[in-house]
């Protein structure tokens, strides 16, 4: 909370990237004016409400056979208070989905500072349509103070901790770390403490910038967001603006780094301005498959 107090609204400063455009009001207002003047705003805002459901299959070598076919719904980067109509579009897309467990990889609030009541009110609408169990982490736009309110809505927060998921007497582990991008409060050792070394572990990390550490910790699969896939892209999906220090291949979709597999979702919401171009908001369902060992 002390780090938040002094650091939350900085434009230049700490974190993994030195410039934080989301905290730069002139840039945001300028972008809004330019988009509205060119009429692109209305098209981009419509795009931001067209949520796509992406099915992603991932083969994990150590996956217990009881979890073959297990489906994990991933949502990320809501920025819920930027435009309630985006939440309405999201809820509509969520209602008919089939999954076994839900994870949310951070960024519930629009701003990185200030009140979070409006975001919590919107989060309540989303949580009403999600099936349990639901596990979440915090992102760089979130306050630690939001945690009890999110948990009261049925979202169990993983702040450098993990849970064991049981199916037919077999287990996988879902671990979550605190925001590694801005607050750098992630603690892998604490999050993974006492997980059996041979167990399948899925890590929730707001940003994929932790990929090297995740590999060294033996994570099987890492789920991240934060990039919005670029949010405002060129035709073909190329992102001119990036906000993460990891390879471009990790900006969006499935990726791998040596034995570590990961997925970075383009997320369901918008930052700075409620528009998207050539980068639709996505809801991801990961289906876990048991991959036979090569030995
Ligand atoms: Fe973020």
């Amino acid at each position: 909370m002390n780090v938040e107090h002094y650091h939350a609204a900085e434009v230049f400063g700490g974190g993994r990237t030195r410039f934080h455009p989301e905290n730069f009001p002139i840039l945001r207002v300028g972008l809004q004016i330019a988009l509205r003047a060119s009429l692109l705003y209305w098209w981009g805002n419509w795009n931001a409400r067209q949520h796509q459901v992406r099915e992603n299959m991932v083969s994990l070598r150590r996956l217990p056979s009881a979890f073959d076919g297990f489906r994990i719904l991933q949502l990320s980067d809501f920025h819920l208070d930027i435009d309630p109509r985006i939440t309405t579009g999201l809820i509509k897309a969520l209602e008919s989905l089939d999954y076994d467990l839900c994870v949310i990889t951070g960024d519930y609030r629009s701003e990185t500072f200030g009140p979070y009541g409006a975001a919590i009110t919107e989060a309540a609408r989303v949580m009403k349509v999600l099936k349990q169990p639901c596990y979440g982490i915090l992102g760089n736009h979130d306050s630690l103070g939001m945690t009890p309110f999110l948990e009261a809505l049925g979202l169990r927060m993983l702040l450098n901790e993990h849970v064991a998921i049981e199916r037919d007497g077999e287990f996988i582990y879902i671990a979550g770390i605190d925001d590694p991008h801005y607050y750098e409060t992630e603690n892998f050792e604490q999050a993974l403490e006492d997980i059996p070394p041979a167990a399948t572990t899925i890590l929730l990390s707001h940003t994929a910038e932790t990929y090297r550490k995740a590999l060294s910790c033996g994570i099987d699969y890492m789920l991240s967001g934060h990039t919005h896939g670029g949010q405002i892209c060129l035709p073909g999906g190329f992102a001119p603006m990036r906000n993460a220090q990891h390879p471009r291949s990790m900006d969006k979709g499935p990726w791998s780094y040596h034995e570590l597999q990961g997925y970075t979702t383009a997320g369901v919401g918008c930052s700075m301005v409620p528009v998207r171009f050539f980068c639709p908001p996505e809801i991801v369902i990961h289906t876990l498959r048991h991959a036979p060992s090569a030995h």
Side-chain angles (χ1 to χ4, degrees), residues 249-261:
S249 60
M250 297 178 182
D251 279 1
K252 181 163 50 176
W255 51 264
S256 63
Y257 179 69
H258 301 285
E259 291 84 39
L260 173 67
Q261 296 189 76

Side-chain angles (χ1 to χ4, degrees), residues 81-100:
D81 43 337
I82 199 169
D83 183 349
R85 291 179 305 165
I86 297 178
T87 314
T88 304
L90 170 67
I91 288 169
K92 211 166 138 192
L94 285 172
E95 276 167 347
S96 58
L97 300 181
D98 176 36
Y99 52 89
D100 298 298

Side-chain angles (χ1 to χ4, degrees), residues 182-193:
Y182 195 43
Y183 294 109
E184 299 179 285
T185 42
E186 79 276 20
N187 186 331
F188 275 79
E189 288 71 23
Q190 189 182 317
L192 304 175
E193 196 176 7

Side-chain angles (χ1 to χ4, degrees), residues 77 79 105-107 139-141 179 181 206-207 225-228 243:
D77 301 87
H79 303 288
T105 42
D107 275 3
N140 59 306
H141 282 247
D179 172 47
H181 176 76
H206 178 60
T207 165
H226 179 64
T227 62
H228 298 197
N243 64 349

